[in-house]
Amino acid sequence: MLDHKAEGPPAFRAPPLSCDAHFHVFGDPARYPYASPEPLRYAPPVAPLPDYLDLAAHLGLERFVFVQPSAYGEDNACMLDAMREVGIARCRGIVDVHEDVPDNVLAEMDALGVRGVRINYSPVKPRIDGFSAQMLPRIRRLEARCHELGWHLDFLGPGWLTAELLPVLASLKVSFSLAHMGMFLSKDGPDQPGFKALIEVLKRDDVRGYAKFTGTYRMATPPDFVDAAPMARALVEAVPDRIIWGSDYPHLSFAHAVGSVQLFNLLNDWADAPARRKILVENPARLFGF
């Protein structure tokens, strides 16, 4: 993994109470064994909490949203232990759970600061027309569970699946977030139909959806990801109140090729200071209840 300190200081000062709304921690596999129901898409690193907090301090981040990585499946122990260590005043979490998980388990998670459930499919999953219909029973069941708790649903999937899901997302009774700008590939630009439709959904007053500026390396072209800028700026111009930012640390299979400071600095190019404050402070505070 690239050394963030060797990258130098960030290009701008993060506003007070800035939030990293999407990152992962990985512990010693002897203590936290991997439990993915599918073959792992990446070689899980050892990325313990102290290493992440050192990065966060370097970037000026003060609030944190842990996201359950796919390698652990529905075993959220590593993340929940890290949340206990940080404390609810400064952190929130997004878990992966079975839709029929017992109420007492959800209550315990809620007390630690969990505020969402992840619905996660590989961002390079091949197109299967109508696949969203197969997802619907799980989505509706988790929607009901989250509605009772005041939680939201967090989605990751390829752009074609995001586009297919947009009518479902627009109908949700809970808030939702979409990782990696919905995974619409930047080579297709901001005028691609699915991305334009996403913006229209996020504009609606009766929908509480958020796009995440995360994982830019998954949807844009290395090494500088300049082709992501038109899409990011289109979101900032259209829906500045519906964007949150996350480091996606530790970058998993891309860790050798990207820098955490480099990714943070993209915000300096995409948004002015008032918009950055919305993205880093105000919007995550609203969604996660800081």
Side-chain angles (χ1 to χ4, degrees), residues 23-43:
F23 70 95
H24 315 291
V25 290
F26 293 83
D28 182 347
R31 181 177 179 185
Y32 302 107
Y34 306 122
S36 173
E38 300 177 358
L40 294 179
R41 304 194 300 261
Y42 52 85

Side-chain angles (χ1 to χ4, degrees), residues 105-172:
V105 173
L106 296 180
E108 292 169 3
M109 291 177 170
D110 185 73
L112 287 175
V114 171
R115 294 296 181 266
V117 177
R118 194 174 198 201
I119 298 177
N120 178 16
Y121 289 90
S122 169
V124 294
K125 182 179 179 64
R127 177 183 288 273
I128 303 174
D129 289 334
F131 185 74
S132 60
Q134 299 177 38
M135 298 170 60
L136 196 55
R138 173 169 163 80
I139 290 172
R140 291 305 186 196
R141 178 62 175 149
L142 287 173
E143 174 190 19
R145 307 297 299 278
C146 287
H147 189 258
E148 293 176 353
L149 291 161
W151 292 8
H152 72 279
L153 292 174
D154 179 62
F155 292 85
L156 169 62
W160 65 264
L161 183 55
T162 301
E164 200 174 275
L165 279 171
L166 284 176
V168 175
L169 300 179
S171 74
L172 291 175

